[in-house]
Amino acid sequence: MLKKILFPVLFSLIIFTGNAQTHQEYKLPPQSIRELATAMVPQVQFSKDGRFMLILKPAGFQTIEEISQPVLGLAGLKVNATSNTLEPGNAGSYTDLTIKDIRNNKEYKLSELPDKVLFTKITWSPDNSKFAFGNKTLHGIELWLADLNSFSAKKLIDIPLNTTTGTPIQWDPSGNYLLVQTLVPDRGNPPVPSIVPDGPVVQQNLGAKTPSRTYEYLLQNSEDEKLMDYYLTSQLQEVDSQGNMKPVFKPAIFRTADYSPDGKYILAQTVERPYSYLVPIYFFPNKTFILDNSGNMVKELYNAPMADKIPIAFDAVAPGPRSYQWRKDAPATLFWAEALDGENPKIETEFHDAVYSLSAPFTSDPQKVFSTKLRYAGIEWINNDYAIVRENLRRTRTTVMTLINPVSGKSTKEIVNRSSENNYTDPGRFVHTSEDGNEGVLLVAKGKGLNVFTIGNGASPEGDRPFVMKWDLLSGKTDTLFKSQAPYYEQPVFFNNTGYIYFSKESLTDAPNYYSAQLKNRKNEIALTSFPDPYPSLEGVQKIQLSYPRKDGITLTGTLYLPKGYKKENGPLPVFVWAYPREYKTREAAGQVKGSPYRFPRLNWGSPVFWVTEGYAVVDNADMPIVGTGKDFPNDTFIPQITDNASSLIDYLVSLGVADRKKIAVGGHSYGAFMTANLLAHTNLFAAGIARSGAYNRTLTPFGFQNETRTFWQAADVYGKMSPFWYADKIKTPILLIHGIADDNSGTFPIQSERFYSAIKGFGGTARLVMLPKEFHSYRSYESILHMLWEQDLWLNKYVKNRKE
């Protein structure tokens, strides 16, 4: 049911029309759209042993009043100054929680909860008998503990958690206590910035190359530095089940604090000064060190300098040691990587990275274990004889996995060497064991060979068919244990090799629900949930998986929705197309089938599918591949390729008899908005366009954007041709521009839409600019989202459905 919206609200929208600027109260779209936009789909979470299932009700949208709490931009982070939490809002938060014991099929509610609770940061204990969670309040996040023996909950400590950086809640490996990050006790009131400056803000560069992309919410002066220290600094605390609290180490801004598998040590990394006004916090200097579990310093590992000189290139990394992690199958052994190519992958060298290890008591010299021919991307742990090293090279879209001995570094065999953009060859993600005290280690089958398990999407020419696979890493033999069966889309959600599996199941007409079944022959299928259809108004809507050729032969895909009861004899419909461009290095990958023909509709706040209830044919996720083979860059032919993609889709829809060629709109968000503006600037294919939160002048992102690593000075012609701002005089198709005033995304500053609108207006184009107060790149409030949908509906009806010749 639609939440009550607060009217009148504290803010009014800023609307720019053809030749006027007005302030306007929030409006509501048609009821059919409101119902779909505000529907909430339940979520589930399983305990690590599979016994318990949490049924979670998402919190949904916030109100404009809630998102109007003061937000500070600190080093690229958005900090809610009232609650000392990160925005945005209600993502990952739940208003209700039901516990289902799958063993006896009974459901339970937690007792002793406050009248109003907002669950977040749910963290299971190693033995799965408890879980910790945060209760999000207006003034902070409280630490709570749920006991699954008594199905009761209790608040553990009075001081709020600090969730701005690091890991706010984690269990020690024994499960006897929690390690949490809290606000610093007795920290006092926040610094009050002086209204009188004490001097200029000075930046300088003394000849070093320090390119950086365009970022929002950076530090601007010394007053911001004080605020960053105040809000981001945490105190590590050891908290037992009775709420007894003991500080661990001194207050700091923690990036990580991770227990060794034996629980005797903590690997910590903290942010250090000097701070930067040009790059976000993850580029700041940092210190990596080892503590004992009481917080005493054991060893300092590395002091990393400011990482502002990283080349703008795929796979470029910061100098020095990086990616520290514990070896999960050993008591206390560290692994990390260091670049061998001067941190620049463009340098020709046999090996790009070296992998090192160091074991407790950390007094010996590090041991070089393995060298990677590509960029190191992590390790999967198995046992003392085997581990899997992952390597990637984004520039060539290459992924390699090698089976090695984690002690000697000897390579056993290369088990994967594939293109990362070839979804048909993806073996899936590895399944880890859930055994108490052995978490993070790959699940291995007993018996001969070295059999591990993976769960994957199962991309194929027939569409996605998720699977569970048994894989002997030594022989290479594979055995598919579970595979989605048509006409359903079945996705594994829990598997631990004990003879049964949990999976979600849906179809074109059946809403997703969760089931348990014996793995062998799929026997004894039992429904774990019976969630109702969240979108009853879509009953009878036709959903069709499209497959059609581009002019150069590349196969394109998309999902077509047709109104309930529609027949071709009724004649062609107005069409709303929604798309997002993606780059590829091979034609084969670009033409692969994406998605599944058997999935139930999944709608988010910005979905175009809402308009199928208003008499439109809707094409969602219309394929927009941009291909650059060999040494060619995809963006060198961006405009002709999106033009071919769009014209091929339109021709196909018209050939099906469902589309009125003169009544087709195109839209997109972010890079999709950029695509939309370019299509309107360079073609006359569409009746109207809707562009949300886009970037339209690429000279404002001169050091790269999206997957473009060339700078403006290296490819000025490409930057110009791809900037619809440069062609504003050509845009005569009506365009609706919508942007969040507090957009936080790199490159999509609000000024992009403001200047683009001004340019179109200056040349007599038809345009409307809507600026949403307090909204980020992804919109959050009921009022803003529903008004956005009202604007889109108004635009589509005026310039598409009721278009005048």
Side-chain angles (χ1 to χ4, degrees), residues 70-101:
V71 173
L72 300 173
L74 300 174
L77 303 178
K78 305 183 296 293
V79 178
N80 185 317
T82 303
S83 60
N84 213 117
T85 59
L86 286 186
E87 295 294 336
N90 282 344
S93 301
Y94 310 96
T95 57
D96 190 49
L97 180 153
T98 300
I99 303 165
K100 181 164 186 172
D101 189 336

Side-chain angles (χ1 to χ4, degrees), residues 254-269:
F254 289 95
R255 293 178 61 166
T256 59
D258 185 27
Y259 278 110
S260 59
D262 64 4
K264 294 181 179 180
Y265 302 97
I266 298 171
L267 172 65
Q269 192 172 85

Side-chain angles (χ1 to χ4, degrees), residues 490-531:
E490 300 166 314
Q491 188 170 30
V493 294
F494 180 85
F495 170 81
N496 63 357
N497 196 34
T498 56
Y500 63 93
I501 186 171
Y502 303 158
F503 58 96
S504 65
K505 183 177 181 179
E506 61 190 90
S507 71
L508 286 172
T509 56
D510 299 315
N513 271 289
Y514 294 84
Y515 295 81
S516 170
Q518 289 183 355
L519 196 59
K520 189 175 181 180
N521 300 322
R522 301 279 291 269
K523 293 182 178 179
N524 298 330
E525 185 172 298
I526 300 172
L528 301 178
T529 62
S530 55
F531 300 141

Side-chain angles (χ1 to χ4, degrees), residues 137-154:
T137 72
L138 183 63
H139 300 290
I141 297 182
E142 304 168 343
L143 178 64
W144 283 69
L145 181 68
D147 187 328
L148 300 188
N149 292 313
S150 61
F151 297 102
S152 62
K154 64 180 177 182

